Amino acid sequence: MRSARVCIFHNQVVPYRTPLFDRLAEDYDVVVLFGLERSADRLWATSLDRVGFAHRVLPAWVVGRLVLNPGLPAELIRRRPDVVIHADNDESLASLLVILALRRLLGYRLILWVEHVPSTKAALRMTRASRNRVQWPLTRLALWSATAVRRIAYRHHADALVSMSGAASDAFIAGLGTSRPVFTGTQVVPRSVLLPAGLRQEDSDHDRPVRVLFLGYLRANKNVDSLIRAFALTASRCEELVIAGSGPELEHLEALAADRADVTFAGYVEGEDKVALL
């Protein structure tokens, strides 16, 4: 019996996804279509030279936060997948419309993979605060349209849903009123970024404070400001908070922790520097 043909659409190439796709390719005939090689606000550079799964980075047009991939329909028609897994986020909404439009024609099963917390409320708050009479109604219209598309997709077109971000994504799925089965999992750290066997921390590290580490993209829906406030209320002299990453919230977070000597910002890290923090 042949292996199922699985087509995964992911918004961009990211280093923490390639081990997952490699593992899936051991059991299925997997091809991963990427909407972008890398968005302008991300600093990583991920090589696909040694991955074990078939892949293609699609040509793209970027309109605001929306990514348009005009070659996606031809790829789906040519590959004739049995299953399409769509990684749902704000940037890939246009690709979701394409996948929905071709689903009946090509007859594939559809799995919607939800990892993000939609920026609806945050976007409305920011626009309202700016008091922009043009941007405010346009933002409301765009967010309403995105929610309407997702509600139709999640209620009537998805065969199953996957959520690996815990309560936040699960609550988002529940809010769309879908009765489709939801499968949840656990995020893992790829083996490639773990400490090599035999490598141990220096003995002097036992004398340093207990480290609380945030490692990720600094944007509003990550709630790092809540982490800083909670740390400020509960920390004693035995802990330190290290925030590693870059993003649009960096200046706001630095100002929030300006009077805290036990809160440090490591900036963007990769390779051995990331391993050392972990």
Side-chain angles (χ1 to χ4, degrees):
M1 185 174 66
R2 72 170 178 82
S3 177
R5 294 190 300 267
V6 179
C7 180
I8 301 172
F9 183 90
H10 202 273
N11 61 316
Q12 60 182 299
V13 183
V14 294
Y16 49 84
R17 284 286 167 262
T18 54
L20 172 61
F21 299 149
D22 275 333
R23 179 63 186 87
L24 287 173
E26 294 178 11
D27 297 328
Y28 303 99
D29 181 4
V30 171
V31 60
V32 183
L33 303 176
F34 294 102
L36 283 176
E37 183 173 4
R38 185 181 63 185
S39 58
D41 58 352
R42 300 302 178 115
L43 299 179
W44 59 55
T46 306
S47 173
L48 295 173
D49 292 342
R50 297 183 180 180
V51 299
F53 56 90
H55 58 274
R56 186 185 177 199
V57 180
L58 299 175
W61 300 332
V62 181
V63 181
R65 293 193 64 184
L66 198 63
V67 178
L68 308 178
N69 299 112
L72 178 58
E75 286 287 340
L76 292 173
I77 293 171
R78 180 170 69 88
R79 297 181 184 275
R80 294 278 173 170
D82 301 306
V83 179
V84 171
I85 302 175
H86 181 269
D88 180 29
N89 53 50
D90 293 337
E91 293 86 358
S92 63
L93 189 62
S95 67
L96 175 59
L97 291 173
V98 171
I99 289 169
L100 292 177
L102 291 176
R103 182 170 179 264
R104 179 167 295 182
L105 173 65
L106 300 180
Y108 47 72
R109 298 293 185 91
L110 176 59
I111 298 174
L112 295 180
W113 171 11
V114 185
E115 278 216 307
H116 72 308
V117 180
S119 54
T120 305
K121 293 181 180 179
L124 289 176
R125 282 200 308 270
M126 291 171 63
T127 307
R128 186 185 301 139
S130 70
R131 299 179 181 178
N132 188 315
R133 295 182 179 180
V134 175
Q135 188 180 4
W136 168 245
L138 289 178
T139 301
R140 287 184 61 90
L141 177 61
L143 295 174
W144 178 88
S145 301
T147 301
V149 168
R150 287 191 171 107
R151 184 173 289 114
I152 293 171
Y154 283 55
R155 286 182 177 180
H156 305 295
H157 293 280
D159 292 285
L161 309 173
V162 174
S163 172
M164 292 198 295
S165 290
S169 289
D170 294 342
F172 167 58
I173 291 172
L176 292 173
T178 181
S179 60
R180 296 301 197 253
V182 180
F183 297 88
T184 58
T186 302
Q187 297 278 22
V188 299
V189 178
R191 189 179 300 274
S192 58
V193 302
L194 296 177
L195 287 169
L199 184 59
R200 299 290 183 264
Q201 294 178 335
E202 298 291 339
D203 291 340
S204 60
D205 282 357
H206 294 296
D207 299 327
R208 69 169 173 78
V210 173
R211 173 176 294 165
V212 179
L213 171 65
F214 173 87
L215 177 62
Y217 187 50
L218 303 180
R219 60 183 177 191
N221 65 351
K222 297 292 187 179
N223 264 345
V224 183
D225 52 352
S226 296
L227 171 62
I228 293 174
R229 292 188 181 97
F231 182 83
L233 289 172
T234 59
S236 65
R237 296 180 180 179
C238 300
E239 299 88 23
E240 63 176 348
L241 173 60
V242 178
I243 298 172
S246 62
E249 288 285 290
L250 177 59
E251 290 187 9
H252 165 66
L253 298 174
E254 287 178 331
L256 190 62
D259 60 344
R260 302 289 308 195
D262 51 359
V263 178
T264 58
F265 291 83
Y268 177 78
V269 293
E270 59 183 353
E272 293 182 0
D273 292 334
K274 181 187 292 186
V275 171
L277 283 178
L278 291 171

